[in-house]
Every structure is written in C-alpha cells, then in structure tokens.
Amino acid sequence: MSCEDEHHNHNHGHNHNHNHVAPIPTTAGQSLNNKIDTSKVTALNMANSADDLAKVFKDSTKKYQIKPIIKSDSDEQMIINIPFLNGSVKLYSIILRTNGDLYCPKTIKLFKNDTSIDFDNVESKKPIQVLTHPQVGVAYNDSDDLPEFLESNNDDDFVEHYVSRHKFTGVNQLTIFIEDIYDEGEEECHLHSIELRGEFTELNKDPVITLYELAANPADHKNLTIVENQNLA
C-alpha cells in the first residue's frame, strides 16, 4: 500500500480543484537500509533493547520477519533517530510495517539533521513533513501469538509513505517521531519493520595531503617579502 504524501499543483479556486501528481514509484534497489549506521540508531521511550532496534531495518531476506516487535514504553509516543553511514541521503520514501489494530501509529512527524530532538522540545519544533499512517498492518495484538515470519498477500500490511524529495536532500540523520496511535485507550505503539528508500552519496574519503617545506630558502621568499613591504608602505 502506498500513501501519496507528496502533492503538487494545488489550484485553490472557487471550486477547490486539486491536481495531485502521482509520486514516482520506488524500487527495492533503492533501499537505504544497508546505508544506516545501525550501531548508532537510538530511540527514546522504547521498551526494547538497542539490539532489537537495529533489527527493525531488515534486508530483503528478512522482509517478512515480524519479530522482534519494537514497542513504546511508558506511553504511545516514540522518537527514533536514524543516522546514515559516511554519506548523505536524498530520501524518497519510508516503508513501514506496523501493528494494524490496537497499537497502530497514526501521526508521524519527520525531521532531518537535528540531533537535539527529545520529548522536552519535539512538540515545539517544526517537522519537515507530517505523515498520517493508515490503520493498516499486522493484525496480531498479542506478541505471544506471533509467528516468526508472516507473509502477506501483495504486501498489504506494508505502507509506503512518499516524502517531498526536495525537502529531504542532504540528510545525514532522519528522526521519526510517532506522536499518537489510533486507539486512544491504549498506550503502546508497535513497529515490525522500517525501510528507507532513496539515493545515497558517499562522502569523499580521500586524505587531505599537505606539503610542508623542510628548510626555508631565503631566495624563494625574497619576492614575497618585497610584496609585504610594499603593502605596508
């Protein structure tokens, strides 16, 4: 399932006609999950261990694995910080597999390159984009009943959110803030997998070579001294 969060050409005339340009489809070859520095991914208000969090960024061989379930802790909100390896990203989309019932996320806010976000300030910061996640996903609410793998017809419980590409260029870190869930009577959100898609540009690793003069030759510096003295005249 895809969510077309990138809209253009809005004509706000009397009849309120809206021309929505369909987002550009992505491919599995554009997955950025192997470009994520999973050793440095962090989450605030998460009930799981850091090892579990790294496993939510699955490769194609583990796409249908639904354990471990990433759960929020004291309430339904969660902040996930996703740094990339030595490079910069142009983000195209985010594919989420979540709980589709009691613990399904609803409002998700995205930030880029802000390492200071926490629960004390996240509400006052302006997100780059706000996603409304549909109540779609894995139907199991009880973790004990979950199988290890769960394949779905046509990947119906995966939701792809297209983002505004021009806003998500030069991304070194992506922050996902799950603000609320659909069931107001519950205080947990559940995530099964996150896949990011886009372009990755590796930063230049070539060393900077500086040449130092071993011994100064006065003759080489004669003209330089003259110029300096002329400038002082």
Side-chain angles (χ1 to χ4, degrees):
M1 178 179 181
S2 67
C3 290
E4 299 179 7
D5 290 299
E6 185 175 15
H7 301 313
H8 300 291
N9 299 327
H10 289 221
N11 297 319
H12 296 283
H14 180 71
N15 294 324
H16 299 282
N17 292 324
H18 297 271
N19 296 322
H20 298 295
V21 177
I24 302 171
T26 64
T27 66
Q30 293 170 326
S31 178
L32 297 169
N33 278 18
N34 64 343
K35 303 299 183 182
I36 295 170
D37 191 348
T38 53
S39 66
K40 296 181 180 178
V41 173
T42 60
L44 302 179
N45 195 39
M46 179 180 68
N48 304 66
S49 67
D51 290 341
D52 281 353
L53 182 60
K55 295 174 184 176
V56 80
F57 303 98
K58 298 175 172 60
D59 61 27
S60 58
T61 63
K62 297 180 179 178
K63 176 179 178 178
Y64 296 104
Q65 188 177 49
I66 54 178
K67 290 182 178 180
I69 308 168
I70 302 303
K71 301 178 181 181
S72 60
D73 191 9
S74 61
D75 59 23
E76 72 277 9
Q77 294 188 331
M78 186 159 41
I79 295 174
I80 304 173
N81 297 304
I82 307 169
F84 294 97
L85 294 168
N86 187 45
S88 176
V89 160
K90 182 176 183 179
L91 189 65
Y92 294 168
S93 70
I94 300 174
I95 301 175
L96 299 175
R97 194 185 200 188
T98 70
N99 175 268
D101 189 23
L102 298 179
Y103 312 117
C104 181
K106 183 179 180 182
T107 306
I108 300 173
K109 296 181 177 180
L110 305 178
F111 304 83
K112 76 171 187 179
N113 302 343
D114 189 339
T115 59
S116 66
I117 294 177
D118 57 28
F119 285 109
D120 291 332
N121 59 32
V122 68
E123 298 288 357
S124 63
K125 289 180 177 285
K126 183 178 180 180
I128 305 298
Q129 191 163 337
V130 179
L131 310 177
T132 300
H133 187 71
Q135 195 168 9
V136 171
V138 175
Y140 290 85
N141 291 315
D142 190 343
S143 303
D144 296 333
D145 293 337
L146 279 173
E148 187 70 22
F149 286 81
L150 183 65
E151 295 195 22
S152 57
N153 295 327
N154 301 316
D155 292 345
D156 286 343
D157 52 9
F158 291 83
V159 179
E160 182 168 19
H161 293 275
Y162 293 92
V163 302
S164 299
R165 296 187 181 191
H166 68 283
K167 295 181 180 179
F168 286 93
T169 58
V171 181
N172 305 118
Q173 175 174 301
L174 179 71
T175 298
I176 297 175
F177 171 44
I178 299 174
E179 187 173 49
D180 54 24
I181 61 175
Y182 278 90
D183 194 322
E184 296 180 356
E186 298 293 338
E187 293 188 341
E188 279 185 24
C189 70
H190 289 187
L191 292 175
H192 296 282
S193 70
I194 299 173
E195 182 185 355
L196 306 180
R197 289 186 178 183
E199 295 178 29
F200 179 81
T201 302
E202 189 168 7
L203 296 179
N204 188 1
K205 294 182 178 180
D206 293 337
V208 176
I209 300 174
T210 304
L211 297 178
Y212 294 94
E213 191 174 17
L214 295 179
N217 186 339
D220 293 339
H221 295 272
K222 182 178 180 180
N223 292 336
L224 176 61
T225 305
I226 291 172
V227 172
E228 290 175 345
N229 289 337
Q230 287 175 342
N231 289 336
L232 291 173

